[in-house]
Amino acid sequence: MARIRLIILLGLMLRVAALAAQTADFRKLSGLARQAALESAAFTRGASDGRILTAFVKTDNDDILARYGCHQHARWGDIIIASIPLEQLAALSREPSVRRIEAGARASLCVDTAAMIVNVLPAYEATPNHSAYTGEGIVMGLMDVGFDLTHPTFYDRSTTNYRIRALWDQLSKDTLDSRLPVGRDYIGTEELLAYGHTADAESETHGTLTLGIAAGSGYDTRYRGIAFDSDICLVANAVNSNTKYIDSTDVYKYTTATDALGFKYLFDYADSQQKPCVVSFSEGYPPYLNQDDSLFSSVLDSLTGPGHILVVAAGNENRNDTWFIKTAERPEAGAFIQTNQKEALYRLTTEGDVRIRVYAYRGENGIPTDTLMLDGQQIPSDSVVVYSFSCGQDTLTVSCYHNASSFIDDDVWQVLIKSEQYIRKLAPMALVVEGDGVIQAFGSTTHAFRKHDADPRWADAQKGHNIFAPACFQAAISVGASTHKPDGKIDYYSSTGPAMNGLRKPEVVAPGTQVAASMSHVYAPDWAIVGYSEFNGISYPWGADSGTSLSAPIVAGIIALWLQAKPDLSPQEVLALFDRNCWHPDDSLDYPNNIYGYGMPDAYKGLLDILGLTSVRAISQHQPQEVDIAPANGGLRLTFASEPTGSLKVSVYQLSGSCIFQTTLAVAGREVFIALPSLASGVYAVQLDAAQFTHCGSCLVRR
């Protein structure tokens, strides 16, 4: 039996910190805020070192923040985002009018390069040209990392008009006269092109790729984005992979609260232009489940609404087993720990009492040689207990934090296992739970579960229940990744629901495997590149990658087209459009579900729905596959991929559904011009009926 020694309780931690400064009210602090307060107290002894925490603060006292030297950046009712001097954090938390101080750690990118096939052109191509709806008049907001602002895909199709309007680079070192809590923003064509690329673009190209998928013109390639005529507003934020660009004294400035300010920046810009906005976000983190996510979720509720839509990647967490459950009928359940790091973090939800055990197996007889037992009844709510755990010659620490959840009725437990060496090199270890009622354990791809021959009893690891935050929040439309094969089945890595907070997620899926678009000419990995284009004397790369990172901007682009048709479209109306206009990759399932959500969106059918044309039986709800229909010289130009056989019937409908023109003709050649009567400016539906199915369908055109 391993020697178990209780090192410290939260009360002792507070006493240690209080040697240098008065104790914080840790019940009000999120995990990252608590860490910042302890660090400040232990290492700065209460003196000012200039460090700042960007955090959500819940208070109805308008004066309290200024009293402690805080700077307010944004407010929604009693929720404020503020910069808090670390040396004032403890004192601020003790104020009775301050009910909560929350900040979460940086997110990770939702891209999975493991699925990449080198030098293979992607199966996914841009949707057919919606000549009536291309995103014009819509702001495509996108928060990501690694933007090449000079790529020709961010101009219009003629490369005469530059479409990026504003950028807030949170990692920029040029902060003189900046009104923003970190970095600065760049506005207008001249300033943006002079800046050239974001601070992290020498090692990141993710944002250039996702933006190209959502809104790129494609320049001289077939890699055109969805809303290729939209205006573009960007935020370059901080993630786990670009922390080398952050000074060590500034790490607490980059939190989930800073990301929330990024979302606000994007929506505020659109409001300033009096245009609707859809925001695409291809990042995320394992949700905390407890109160650490509560204010972030509430702020996103406030930011979204009619004309303000947020689309978020669901995550790529389904590559490993990340969940197991002990049902009420079973006395215990467990799984082995799997991680390539020196620590592993797991979250538990419990209906009643829980006992947590960690077993280590250094022998081959299926009997644990080292055991750590934690009794939940001995760990009060809002407290941390830290134990030492001897595993052979190695000594680990196991921390257990217990509190209530603002999302679900169950209690939430965080179990953190730390080692001096990589855990994969240690003896196999199992996490086992026992107690009354249902107990669930949640990990992540980084901190996963597995089965192991060392003890077949602990074989409960499963996939699922692994949607990232903020995709798991109510305000976000979360997107999973499918293959682009004809069946559109979900790909192996795409996160599936339900989310940890119990919500059905994702809302939809879209192609996410081998998707190609623009990449940065400053940095693009060789394995990803599928071609180059020359522009202004520079070779600009195009590349392909996989992940829900690539699915989210596809859906954001589709919603931009829908916003152009209905600028006040709300998130609830978007879900209703999904319900009516998604196709179902797996007919054996009921929809919506926790794998596909509502299914795969049909952008064109959704447009017809918004315009009220789905009830007009004469108008097909699909576009012709081998005909391009475009307005030209007061009429229509039809260009065929293959020469038609037999007669062609052409009908033109108003949005009211009435047919205002119809003709039948024999087509000779692959191009035909049809003169139309004088029509008022507006959108019309053109219906083609022909002997060949690929020449049949409808298209929306704008005159």
Side-chain angles (χ1 to χ4, degrees):
M1 185 69 67
R3 182 172 59 90
I4 306 170
R5 180 169 59 89
L6 178 64
I7 298 178
I8 195 164
L9 283 169
L10 180 60
L12 294 177
M13 294 172 66
L14 300 183
R15 292 190 188 98
V16 171
L19 295 175
Q22 285 186 296
T23 303
D25 188 342
F26 278 60
R27 295 169 300 176
K28 297 180 181 179
L29 301 182
S30 70
L32 187 68
R34 186 183 308 114
Q35 175 183 322
L38 285 171
E39 184 178 313
S40 177
F43 296 104
T44 68
R45 299 188 178 276
S48 175
D49 65 355
R51 290 190 297 166
I52 296 293
L53 173 70
T54 308
F56 303 94
V57 182
K58 189 176 180 66
T59 180
D60 52 13
N61 187 333
D62 291 335
D63 301 323
I64 196 69
L65 293 177
R67 192 185 309 167
Y68 287 94
C70 305
H71 180 74
Q72 180 175 321
H73 299 293
R75 182 169 193 156
W76 299 267
D78 61 354
I79 301 176
I80 298 167
I81 295 180
S83 293
I84 306 171
L86 251 60
E87 70 273 8
Q88 298 292 345
L89 179 58
L92 179 65
S93 72
R94 295 195 305 272
E95 289 287 344
S97 62
V98 174
R99 299 192 294 279
R100 180 73 179 159
I101 301 175
E102 176 187 314
R106 291 172 298 275
S108 300
L109 303 178
C110 296
V111 65
D112 179 19
T113 56
M116 175 61 204
I117 300 179
V118 181
N119 291 329
V120 177
L121 292 178
Y124 174 74
E125 293 184 41
T127 58
N129 179 16
H130 300 283
S131 55
Y133 295 96
T134 59
E136 185 176 359
I138 308 303
V139 174
M140 175 60 68
L142 197 136
M143 182 156 64
D144 212 315
V145 299
F147 291 109
D148 179 356
L149 306 174
T150 67
H151 202 290
T153 201
F154 304 135
Y155 289 76
D156 65 5
R157 283 167 285 176
S158 67
T159 66
T160 56
N161 296 308
Y162 185 63
R163 294 186 296 120
I164 301 178
R165 310 302 188 199
L167 158 75
W168 174 15
D169 188 350
Q170 296 184 348
L171 297 178
S172 174
K173 300 300 184 183
D174 181 13
T175 58
L176 184 65
D177 298 326
S178 175
R179 60 186 173 83
L180 298 162
V182 291
R184 61 155 291 187
D185 61 348
Y186 303 81
I187 299 173
T189 300
E190 183 177 349
E191 195 168 82
L192 287 159
L193 290 177
Y195 190 49
H197 59 79
T198 54
D200 61 356
E202 294 182 357
S203 59
E204 298 281 0
T205 191
H206 191 260
T208 307
L209 179 65
T210 58
L211 179 58
I213 293 167
S217 70
Y219 187 44
D220 59 354
T221 73
R222 62 189 177 121
Y223 308 127
R224 189 183 64 212
I226 308 298
F228 50 84
D229 280 336
S230 59
D231 292 346
I232 298 169
C233 184
L234 304 175
V235 172
N237 70 333
V239 296
N240 290 333
S241 60
N242 65 6
T243 53
K244 64 182 179 182
Y245 299 99
I246 302 173
D247 190 283
S248 59
T249 60
D250 291 335
V251 292
Y252 287 119
K253 291 182 179 180
Y254 297 91
T255 67
T256 49
T258 320
D259 285 344
L261 289 174
F263 292 131
K264 181 178 184 296
Y265 181 91
L266 298 170
F267 287 125
D268 282 353
Y269 171 79
D271 290 345
S272 73
Q273 304 301 304
Q274 298 183 318
K275 295 179 179 180
C277 179
V278 55
V279 170
S280 182
F281 187 56
S282 292
E283 302 171 12
Y285 60 91
Y288 293 102
L289 266 181
N290 55 24
Q291 292 180 337
D292 285 16
D293 281 331
S294 61
L295 300 189
F296 190 13
S297 179
S298 295
V299 164
L300 295 187
D301 287 338
S302 299
L303 283 172
T304 52
H308 281 196
I309 312 295
L310 175 62
V311 177
V312 183
N316 305 326
E317 297 295 283
N318 230 33
R319 291 170 290 175
N320 295 317
D321 293 337
T322 57
W323 172 74
F324 72 81
I325 184 171
K326 187 207 79 66
T327 61
E329 295 75 26
R330 296 180 59 187
E332 58 188 5
F336 280 84
I337 292 167
Q338 176 175 296
T339 182
N340 291 323
Q341 300 188 354
K342 294 182 179 180
E343 62 179 48
L345 175 65
Y346 300 100
R347 295 173 175 84
L348 310 177
T349 61
T350 62
E351 293 181 338
D353 294 337
V354 62
R355 289 167 294 282
I356 304 168
R357 286 171 279 161
V358 180
Y359 291 144
Y361 295 81
R362 289 182 285 120
E364 298 182 356
N365 57 2
I367 300 175
T369 50
D370 305 285
T371 303
L372 171 65
M373 302 187 69
L374 291 76
D375 188 342
Q377 291 183 315
Q378 298 178 4
I379 306 174
S381 184
D382 295 310
S383 65
V384 178
V385 178
V386 183
Y387 295 88
S388 67
F389 175 43
S390 296
C391 177
Q393 301 300 313
D394 300 290
T395 300
L396 291 73
T397 60
V398 180
S399 306
C400 188
Y401 175 52
H402 170 212
N403 68 348
S405 171
S406 57
F407 292 94
I408 56 178
D409 294 333
D410 296 353
D411 281 357
V412 176
W413 307 74
Q414 295 185 38
V415 179
L416 176 63
I417 302 171
K418 282 190 172 184
S419 171
E420 292 296 322
Q421 61 175 301
Y422 293 105
I423 291 177
R424 69 174 185 273
K425 296 182 178 180
L426 304 178
M429 285 188 290
L431 179 68
V432 178
V433 296
E434 175 187 351
D436 301 327
V438 175
I439 302 172
Q440 296 187 80
F442 302 92
S444 64
T445 293
T446 306
H447 306 145
F449 296 117
R450 61 171 174 162
K451 302 173 179 64
H452 199 285
D453 292 340
D455 197 331
R457 291 179 298 170
W458 317 129
D460 296 303
Q462 303 178 51
K463 289 180 168 53
H465 293 71
N466 48 30
I467 302 289
F468 262 170
C472 66
F473 297 162
Q474 185 75 54
I477 293 173
S478 63
V479 184
S482 71
T483 64
H484 197 65
K485 297 174 183 178
D487 59 7
K489 293 293 179 65
I490 193 167
D491 219 331
Y492 74 95
Y493 55 81
S494 184
S495 292
T496 58
M500 289 188 195
N501 55 16
L503 292 180
R504 184 181 59 231
K505 294 279 181 171
E507 273 74 21
V508 288
V509 297
T513 299
Q514 299 180 58
V515 182
S518 47
M519 283 193 167
S520 171
H521 84 280
V522 182
Y523 166 79
D526 291 340
W527 54 261
I529 295 173
V530 297
Y532 289 91
S533 292
E534 299 298 319
F535 181 68
N536 288 340
I538 297 174
S539 292
Y540 286 91
W542 305 84
D545 212 336
S546 299
T548 57
S549 278
L550 298 317
S551 306
I554 291 173
V555 173
I558 290 171
I559 293 173
L561 306 186
W562 293 352
L563 281 169
Q564 188 179 353
K566 190 178 187 300
D568 63 347
L569 197 65
S570 70
Q572 292 74 26
E573 289 174 314
V574 170
L575 296 182
L577 285 166
F578 288 153
D579 192 19
R580 296 192 297 269
N581 301 294
C582 281
W583 60 276
H584 299 158
D586 187 344
D587 289 334
S588 69
L589 302 175
D590 293 326
Y591 289 79
N593 56 57
N594 285 304
I595 299 174
Y596 296 96
Y598 291 98
M600 184 91 69
D602 186 322
Y604 183 65
K605 188 178 177 184
L607 281 172
L608 295 179
D609 189 339
I610 292 170
L611 298 171
L613 294 174
T614 51
S615 61
V616 182
R617 293 186 177 181
I619 298 177
S620 301
Q621 295 185 17
H622 64 272
Q623 295 179 302
Q625 297 176 23
E626 296 184 359
V627 188
D628 179 66
I629 306 171
N633 302 321
L636 294 173
R637 176 174 288 110
L638 278 56
T639 306
F640 297 85
S642 59
E643 187 170 342
T645 58
S647 61
L648 176 71
K649 182 180 178 182
V650 181
S651 307
V652 179
Y653 291 83
Q654 292 179 317
L655 295 187
S656 64
S658 60
C659 183
I660 58 173
F661 175 82
Q662 195 170 81
T663 185
T664 301
L665 66 160
V667 179
R670 294 187 177 180
E671 186 171 294
V672 62
F673 175 80
I674 301 173
L676 295 178
S678 178
L679 300 176
S681 297
V683 176
Y684 297 87
V686 178
Q687 172 69 34
L688 301 186
D689 294 292
Q692 294 169 254
F693 176 78
T694 55
H695 295 163
C696 294
S698 66
C699 182
L700 297 170
V701 298
R702 188 181 298 273
R703 280 189 51 124

